[in-house]
Amino acid sequence: MNPDRIGVMVNNLEPDRLRAFAAAAQLGFKVVHTSALPEGWLTGPERAQYIAAARASGLTIHSMFVGFDGQSYKDMDSIRRTVGLVIPELRAHRRGVAKRYVSLARELGAPSLAMHLGFLPSADNPDYEPLLEAVRNIADCCASEDLTLRFETGQDPAEVLLRFIENVDRANLGVNFDPANFMLYGTDEPVHALGILAPLLRGVHCKDAIASGQSGVLGSEKPLGMGEVPWPELLRELEGCYAGPLVIERETADDAYRGRDIISARMLLTRLHPGLWRSLGPALYD
Ligand code: MG
């Protein structure tokens, strides 16, 4: 596979947000997803510094991840209480935060925003419709600037996310497919989920994990190739439905090992099944 197609979640590589773009470029990455910023950076003096650092790197930003102050992914309960747009009392504020990313993405030439919604309420929950309305509002703001809005997969089964997106009913919606999240949350099987979400596929995270096997207990993230995601089969399936970047994510390793794991993942993806991408054309070969 052409290594230029393999990207990285930029702050997994280097936590310092102003140094991270240069660090990724120095390692030869050409494309990145950007990690969420502290909310204060969206309006404060850091905003201009962040834009300057991104531009100076020459990297292509494939998607900017939206995040919110106070989120915790420590365990299932923390995620339920703190993550995404599903928390009614935080929704109006977070909707405003998400919209601030729209202008930032435009200035950086990024074509999309991406986000975790949190654990979706069931369709008969009284809060389902207000959530739909908030997401429509953000999607329309994105559309006004020609951006797509992508939802991270895995916190719910693929069918549930698909139904939610159908109910939001906006043309600029898609998914960022993260197969490891289905293992971490115990919600689905990656190849099955890809079959359901393929028509909405706008991005892919290359991350690995093992399921906990216990309801309500998060699985464990692992270096790529050392978890339960069936990468050879998944890459074969992706060949038929996705030609965009494959973005490496490595979130929970110690700082000392995260960079090593990211480089190992890139080597694995570059070498794995070199014939898989034939249909995409000779330019994609090493
Ligand atoms: Mg991800």
Side-chain angles (χ1 to χ4, degrees):
M1 190 196 307
N2 183 347
D4 289 353
R5 199 177 160 204
I6 299 170
V8 66
M9 178 62 91
V10 72
N11 290 131
N12 289 175
L13 190 65
E14 166 55 62
D16 184 309
R17 289 177 171 81
L18 297 181
R19 290 210 310 255
F21 292 104
Q26 281 163 9
L27 283 170
F29 287 101
K30 300 288 194 290
V31 60
V32 296
H33 283 177
T34 57
S35 312
L37 295 169
E39 291 177 10
W41 282 43
L42 297 166
T43 51
E46 297 91 347
R47 188 180 189 278
Q49 296 173 293
Y50 184 78
I51 290 171
R55 287 180 175 161
S57 72
L59 291 165
T60 297
I61 300 174
H62 180 242
S63 197
M64 300 194 75
F65 269 73
V66 173
F68 308 107
D69 289 358
Q71 294 193 133
S72 170
Y73 287 87
K74 183 168 62 108
D75 52 39
M76 289 283 202
D77 185 53
S78 300
I79 294 166
R80 195 177 307 282
R81 287 185 293 102
T82 68
V83 170
L85 288 174
V86 296
I87 303 151
E89 57 271 29
L90 296 176
R91 187 173 300 138
H93 171 74
R94 289 184 168 183
R95 191 179 60 196
V97 172
K99 288 178 166 182
R100 286 184 207 120
Y101 277 88
V102 173
S103 62
L104 184 60
R106 290 303 293 168
E107 286 190 57
L108 289 172
S112 86
L113 300 186
M115 65 191 309
H116 289 257
L117 290 165
F119 298 119
L120 293 170
S122 61
D124 60 358
N125 186 304
D127 196 45
Y128 192 77
E129 185 57 40
L131 175 62
L132 288 176
E133 203 46 54
V135 173
R136 286 181 192 124
N137 187 256
I138 296 168
D140 290 344
C141 184
C142 287
S144 72
E145 295 289 348
D146 292 324
L147 301 181
T148 59
L149 179 61
R150 304 168 185 173
F151 302 121
E152 181 82 346
T153 65
Q155 285 173 332
D156 284 284
E159 285 98 341
V160 172
L161 181 58
L162 175 64
R163 193 135 316 121
F164 181 81
I165 292 171
E166 288 172 349
N167 289 332
V168 176
D169 193 23
R170 290 295 187 268
N172 63 327
L173 300 181
V175 300
N176 185 72
F177 187 79
D178 185 329
N181 284 345
F182 293 107
M183 322 306 294
L184 288 172
Y185 295 102
T187 47
D188 216 322
E189 191 282 315
V191 175
H192 171 260
L194 180 61
I196 291 167
L197 295 170
L200 291 164
L201 203 59
R202 305 277 184 116
V204 171
H205 278 171
C206 294
K207 186 172 83 185
D208 217 336
I210 56 172
S212 72
Q214 294 174 265
S215 176
V217 178
L218 272 178
S220 305
E221 192 199 347
K222 297 290 176 189
L224 198 79
M226 297 178 72
E228 295 173 336
V229 174
W231 281 105
E233 187 182 358
L234 201 59
L235 288 171
R236 208 174 299 127
E237 295 296 321
L238 283 168
E239 181 188 9
C241 62
Y242 180 74
L246 300 170
V247 174
I248 296 166
E249 226 183 3
R250 181 69 174 120
E251 297 180 294
T252 58
D254 292 342
D255 284 352
Y257 297 114
R258 206 179 296 123
R260 177 202 66 182
D261 290 349
I262 288 168
I263 297 303
S264 297
R266 181 165 67 173
M267 290 173 66
L268 186 64
L269 288 167
T270 304
R271 293 176 178 177
L272 196 63
H273 296 281
L276 276 175
W277 308 95
R278 185 165 292 115
S279 65
L280 299 175
L284 289 174
Y285 287 91
D286 292 343

